[in-house]
Amino acid sequence: MTLALRINGADREIASDPETPLIHVLRDELKLKGAKLGCGLEQCGACAVLVDGEVTLSCATPAAVFAGREITTIEALGDTPEGARVQEAFVAASAAQCGYCTPGLVVAVTALLQRDPAPSREAAMAALTPHLCRCGSHPRVLRAVEIAAGQGQGQQ
Amino acid sequence: MSLEKHPLVRDWIGVSGGRVVVHTGKVDFGQRISTALARIAAEEFALSPEDVDVAEVRTGAAPDEGMTSGSNSVVQSGNAVRLAAATARAAVLARLAAEFDVPTDDLELADGFITHRGSNRKTALTEALAGIDPALAVDPGARLRPREEVGVPVSHPPRGMRAMVEGRYTYLHDLDVEGMLHARPVHPPHIAARLRGIDAAVIEKLEAGGVRVIRDGSFLAVAAPGEWAAIQAAGRLARACDWDCGPGLPEIDVAAALRDNPVERLPVIGGLPEPDAALPPAPDAPDLEAAFTRPYQMHGALGPSAAMASWDGGKLTIHTHSQGIYPLRESICESLDLPLDAVELVHVPGSGCYGHNGADDAAFEAALVACAMPGTPVLLKWTREDEHAFEPYATAMHVHVAARLDGRGDVAAYYAEASGDTHRGRPRAGPDRAGPARLLANRLRADPLPPYRAEPNMNREGGNHRNLTPGYAFPETRLVKRLVRDLPLRTSAMRCLGAVANVFALESVMDEAAAKAGADPFGYRRRYLTDPRDLAVLDRLEARLREIPDPAEGAGRGIAMARYKNQMARVALSVDLAVNDRAEIILQHAIIVADSGRIVDPDGIAAQLEGGFVQGASWALYEAVTWDRDAITSRDWDSYPVIRFDNIPPVETVLVDQPDCPSLGVGEASPGPAVAAIANAVHAATGLRLRRMPFTPEAVMEAALQADAD
């Protein structure tokens, strides 16, 4: 039996073994390379996608688990006003260095703002704690959250 | 150095597709060097930075600038590009002046055109550049456009930023070509283990399923048509291996070994090791004495190392995120007994590296796999566990400091002895197969090479003696470096090298001496500073701190400063923090003041300073490689914790522009002061002196118990 997944608004027939972790289906079969493999252990957040609007790590859970759910990857995030606003805010704050963690963070910030349009700094810090960044762009990412939430220019 | 090797304008500046192209040997791994280089060329050509491209860094085409390391890129490549662009500008203006038969001063260069004022004659800059004499040499005295002409630099989004936020930026990990196989190495339990055998039935089964198994001695890898298939196959093969683990990894107290192992003491004078200099007498009854230690720490790239390789029977092509494609090519050629022109390396961005991580090892492993299957491109990736357990770490360090104080509490004599293993694990060719010996797989292949045996780094401000020399004018100093070898783990270059431990030690002692003297930490440092730029960053920090509230009740503020390598960017920074009931250090606020000469890319400088602060804070608070006899035990992000968003303070940066001074790199300027300022702030908050990194709750509790016992 083949697996069907709904990804970025389209129904996709999946040829991969349904036990394959979602990220490999996205990257290898569907060539959606935006989500990054950082650990395969759900410890770093680089692989985050939205599943029914919630931040979900895609590196360990079998693709079959996501049947019937709405999966949105970084590639389609800009199609929503919230996603586009978050992407603009990341550019405005130049909130990336190497950028490997960035797709996961953009996904996480979009989900945060959908849940809480005006998060406090503490709420943003808590929401992003599952996501690692090794370049130290964290202060800029937190500024991007402020910009995307319309809380001033995010300047300090 | 870059210009000496590549003296021609066309080595650095070209035209392609009607656009100006900068050529560089320095690679971009998130530190934004390509953004800075494009801006430098844009300044000299009066263009917008968006109108300048930066060429791919590929052996044979790019200038050979050695390693992208040491915060040298803006100084080396930046200087070469600026002078080459300025030479090119002067050349095209002179040629057009002759062609138009007008004085050069009547020509204007703007918006990509050279125009004769008062007539309609104009020529596109790129057209004029394309006509430059290929033999034109860079003029080291070329007139550079001064700040008044180019204007104050404003922040533009860095190159690639939009693609990054939209998930379209291509990393090495994302390469995908027709017919490509995914590969994974199967590393031993530890580097000294040897493969006794593999269950043949498992290999047979894997191969029947379309998996290739590659073995060379104890080097083992699989290749399969998909990434998940490769991951699963690697797991199955790993379980089928029988390893001889020998005596295992030495479970020794590395700090004690660094302190006690009998090795040569090299006096350091003026930043240089001087083996023949007489050592000044050891301190006799010092007024201040302490030892500062740093554990082994890892680069911990967020994306594990990767490389793509293909071998067509005559030519080996490797896509790599190495920081030094030319040195790596040499070592790979020596390892495989191939001529240099049979191997081409192309840089493709990886995840940020912060120094020499697994990139070079992965490139060589990909080459070994590719050579075993001619005609098939191979994308080899390390797992998280591979990266954590097999990257070359930053060496542990031990810095012993003693000071004699005079009647005013001033430092009359300062003694420091820095001990560590080598920071030189990069695969540079050298005697005794020094290049190949520093590639991991060569330690595992049939007829394995022994571990590389390092010599002490004798360069100015190199290795363990980087920033060992105080930037303060003390009446007497006695500085010693010691290279301690034969320690348990493989080490190499990580951001700042020895400067982290040395700045931590010096700036902690300054804080302690100031407290003993009853002086404030700013005024106390000023007693020993004469350089106006050093004083300026300190003054700016103090002025900014006067404008903000004091730390809250129970919190503390610490400061630290350093001039990286005693010759590069100057940083003074402050940290406010509190220590909570669980003895966790909670960062509250940080201010970084920096002078890196002429500012090219203000936002890029601020990003590097902030990033350096955050990484320094992570080293200070969380990070330590651990191991037992059987293996490295810090193999993931739970067993090797790093800083996360829940402990990120607001960080302010203040840049001091020096338009008439050379531009300097800042990537390594802030981490050392960050560690020291955190230690000093902990003292301000709690009265405890933390001298052993990382400052975990256990370390805080231990310091408290020690203080009670004293």
Side-chain angles (χ1 to χ4, degrees):
Chain A
M1 194 187 85
T2 57
L3 175 66
L5 291 179
R6 189 162 174 81
I7 297 172
N8 297 336
D11 293 315
R12 306 291 297 258
E13 290 291 319
I14 303 303
S16 304
D17 177 351
E19 289 305 304
T20 308
L22 179 62
I23 190 164
H24 299 297
V25 172
L26 296 174
R27 290 178 54 88
D28 258 17
E29 183 175 342
L30 304 176
K31 310 296 179 195
L32 294 167
K33 308 270 188 186
K36 303 300 176 206
L37 182 60
C39 63
L41 305 164
E42 299 187 340
Q43 293 177 346
C44 79
C47 63
V49 296
L50 292 182
V51 176
D52 296 337
E54 294 290 327
V55 185
T56 304
L57 303 182
S58 67
C59 69
T61 307
V65 170
F66 300 98
R69 321 274 299 271
E70 189 75 45
I71 300 164
T72 309
T73 70
I74 184 74
E75 284 86 354
L77 205 69
D79 298 345
T80 65
E82 295 86 359
R85 200 168 71 236
V86 171
Q87 287 172 336
E88 285 306 320
F90 268 68
V91 173
S94 74
Q97 289 188 40
C98 83
Y100 201 86
C101 66
T102 308
L105 281 165
V106 170
V107 165
V109 171
T110 303
L112 168 66
L113 294 182
Q114 277 169 351
R115 197 171 64 239
D116 178 2
S120 65
R121 185 180 168 87
E122 289 67 31
M125 288 164 70
L128 300 181
T129 289
H131 295 258
L132 288 182
C133 166
R134 287 294 279 163
C135 297
S137 289
H138 312 67
R140 287 158 179 264
V141 172
L142 293 170
R143 264 173 255 165
V145 175
E146 290 175 18
I147 294 170
Q151 296 163 337
Q153 291 304 298
Q155 299 295 322
Q156 304 196 1
Chain B
M1 147 234 173
S2 295
L3 275 176
E4 282 164 24
K5 223 166 174 174
H6 300 278
L8 303 180
V9 168
R10 70 183 167 99
D11 293 331
W12 305 97
I13 299 292
V15 174
S16 177
R19 290 169 61 83
V20 173
V21 181
V22 168
H23 297 278
T24 175
K26 302 292 186 181
V27 300
D28 202 323
F29 36 79
Q31 87 284 33
R32 303 187 184 174
I33 185 60
S34 56
T35 298
L37 294 175
R39 295 179 70 111
I40 286 171
E43 283 188 359
E44 294 302 325
F45 288 133
L47 289 169
S48 161
E50 285 78 31
D51 294 329
V52 177
D53 293 334
V54 179
E56 182 177 70
V57 183
R58 173 190 287 269
T59 53
D64 177 1
E65 295 191 271
M67 299 292 174
T68 304
S69 65
S71 298
N72 292 323
S73 298
V74 156
V75 176
Q76 294 171 358
S77 219
N79 182 51
V81 167
R82 191 180 286 283
L83 286 169
T87 305
R89 187 188 67 238
V92 297
L93 286 173
R95 214 190 65 224
L96 283 175
E99 194 180 303
F100 295 172
D101 194 20
V102 297
T104 311
D105 285 352
D106 288 359
L107 295 178
E108 188 183 37
L109 171 61
D111 303 324
F113 286 92
I114 298 156
T115 312
H116 175 234
R117 291 192 204 87
S119 80
N120 283 335
R121 303 188 68 179
K122 66 177 186 178
T123 295
L125 171 68
T126 48
E127 198 178 305
L129 285 174
I132 280 186
D133 177 3
L136 180 66
V138 175
D139 173 8
R143 178 186 171 275
L144 308 179
R145 295 182 73 219
R147 176 55 58 71
E148 306 85 73
E149 272 180 47
V150 301
V152 176
V154 292
S155 293
H156 287 269
R159 303 175 89 77
M161 181 64 63
R162 185 161 293 278
M164 284 174 185
V165 306
E166 293 176 357
R168 294 184 290 101
Y169 192 83
T170 300
Y171 297 86
L172 209 151
H173 309 71
D174 304 328
L175 297 182
D176 202 337
V177 301
E178 192 64 34
M180 177 181 96
L181 295 186
H182 284 266
R184 285 284 192 283
V186 175
H187 287 140
H190 59 71
I191 197 168
R194 291 290 166 258
L195 187 56
R196 269 200 213 107
I198 314 173
D199 182 342
V202 172
I203 294 185
E204 207 171 296
K205 209 170 160 197
L206 285 171
E207 288 182 337
V211 174
R212 294 284 307 265
V213 175
I214 296 91
R215 180 180 174 182
D216 180 353
S218 298
F219 171 73
L220 202 55
V222 295
E227 185 159 8
W228 179 237
I231 293 171
Q232 288 178 299
R236 285 189 195 115
L237 188 61
R239 288 188 291 277
C241 290
D242 175 24
W243 296 98
D244 172 3
C245 291
L249 298 173
E251 293 181 277
I252 61 166
D253 177 345
V254 169
L258 287 168
R259 184 189 61 212
D260 300 335
N261 282 15
V263 296
E264 189 182 7
R265 309 162 91 90
L266 288 166
V268 174
I269 296 166
L272 274 174
E274 300 281 4
D276 300 328
L279 277 174
D284 185 26
D287 299 296
L288 268 179
E289 184 170 25
F292 297 82
T293 63
R294 181 191 195 191
Y296 288 107
Q297 295 183 323
M298 66 175 74
H299 306 77
L302 191 65
S305 293
M308 189 167 88
S310 59
W311 166 247
D312 69 5
K315 186 165 182 196
L316 180 62
T317 306
I318 305 172
H319 291 75
T320 171
H321 53 95
S322 166
Q323 289 181 292
I325 55 171
Y326 283 101
L328 176 59
R329 178 173 70 162
E330 220 175 328
S331 292
I332 287 178
C333 287
E334 193 180 339
S335 301
L336 299 178
D337 203 15
L338 287 170
L340 279 182
D341 59 8
V343 180
E344 182 176 53
L345 267 66
V346 184
H347 180 264
V348 179
S351 165
C353 59
Y354 329 109
H356 175 218
N357 65 356
D360 299 78
D361 295 321
F364 182 49
E365 291 184 352
L368 290 175
V369 175
C371 286
M373 46 182 76
T376 303
V378 172
L379 178 61
L380 177 139
K381 295 181 189 172
W382 281 14
T383 59
R384 172 50 43 210
E385 195 172 42
D386 288 322
E387 193 75 28
H388 268 56
F390 287 95
E391 68 145 275
Y393 305 120
T395 179
M397 280 189 70
H398 180 281
V399 184
H400 176 258
V401 179
R404 211 153 30 76
L405 306 175
D406 68 13
R408 280 181 68 210
D410 286 356
V411 175
Y414 178 82
Y415 309 99
E417 187 161 304
S419 304
D421 202 337
T422 188
H423 301 260
R424 282 178 154 174
R426 294 185 195 271
R428 281 181 203 270
D432 301 326
R433 297 176 67 75
R438 286 177 282 185
L439 289 168
L440 178 69
N442 280 328
R443 304 264 307 269
L444 304 172
R445 294 167 75 198
D447 202 7
L449 290 177
Y452 170 69
R453 190 166 172 80
E455 292 301 316
N457 184 332
M458 304 300 279
N459 293 337
R460 184 180 299 279
E461 294 284 329
N464 288 319
H465 61 284
R466 182 160 294 175
N467 281 86
L468 175 63
T469 304
Y472 305 106
F474 299 141
E476 186 188 324
T477 56
R478 171 190 188 267
L479 307 169
V480 175
K481 80 170 276 180
R482 298 165 73 248
L483 175 66
V484 184
R485 288 171 289 209
D486 306 319
L487 295 176
L489 307 182
R490 185 171 76 121
T491 61
S492 190
M494 188 158 90
R495 195 176 197 171
C496 311
L497 309 189
V500 176
N502 289 325
V503 171
F504 169 36
L506 169 63
E507 289 298 293
S508 295
V509 166
M510 289 302 281
D511 199 70
E512 196 167 342
K516 262 187 181 267
D520 81 273
F522 287 95
Y524 191 75
R525 282 174 174 78
R526 281 196 197 94
R527 294 179 187 181
Y528 312 96
L529 293 174
T530 51
D531 177 82
R533 290 171 68 181
D534 284 342
L535 287 162
V537 290
L538 199 60
D539 292 348
R540 288 287 287 273
L541 178 64
E542 189 175 30
R544 180 64 192 125
L545 286 172
R546 276 204 213 95
E547 296 168 359
I548 65 169
D550 287 337
E553 182 71 30
R557 174 174 294 162
I559 69 159
M561 69 182 299
R563 183 177 175 192
Y564 187 54
K565 301 186 199 174
N566 280 308
Q567 60 199 354
M568 297 185 78
R570 296 159 169 86
V571 160
L573 65 77
S574 69
V575 176
D576 291 3
L577 57 76
V579 180
N580 70 14
D581 295 345
R582 295 189 296 278
E584 295 163 335
I585 294 167
I586 308 299
L587 303 176
Q588 295 177 329
H589 192 235
I591 302 172
I592 308 167
V593 182
D595 168 354
S596 59
R598 175 173 173 165
I599 292 174
V600 175
D601 175 14
D603 189 61
I605 293 172
Q608 284 292 289
L609 292 167
E610 289 172 17
F613 171 80
V614 172
Q615 190 159 41
S618 189
W619 296 338
L621 300 181
Y622 301 103
E623 300 186 31
V625 174
T626 57
W627 70 95
D628 61 19
R629 193 187 62 174
D630 299 330
I632 298 292
T633 50
S634 46
R635 297 175 87 85
D636 61 21
W637 296 120
D638 280 346
S639 48
Y640 187 86
V642 300
I643 200 165
R644 288 180 179 263
F645 273 94
D646 57 3
N647 202 7
I648 299 296
V651 181
E652 272 182 57
T653 53
V654 178
L655 306 184
V656 181
D657 190 18
Q658 301 283 0
D660 300 321
C661 298
S663 303
L664 302 167
V666 292
E668 297 164 295
S670 60
V675 174
I678 289 171
N680 293 339
V682 169
H683 180 260
T686 64
L688 301 173
R689 291 276 172 206
L690 300 184
R691 301 188 178 107
R692 191 186 74 197
M693 294 168 68
F695 313 148
T696 57
E698 295 71 33
V700 172
M701 303 288 273
E702 196 182 301
L705 287 172
Q706 186 64 43
D708 284 348
D710 291 346

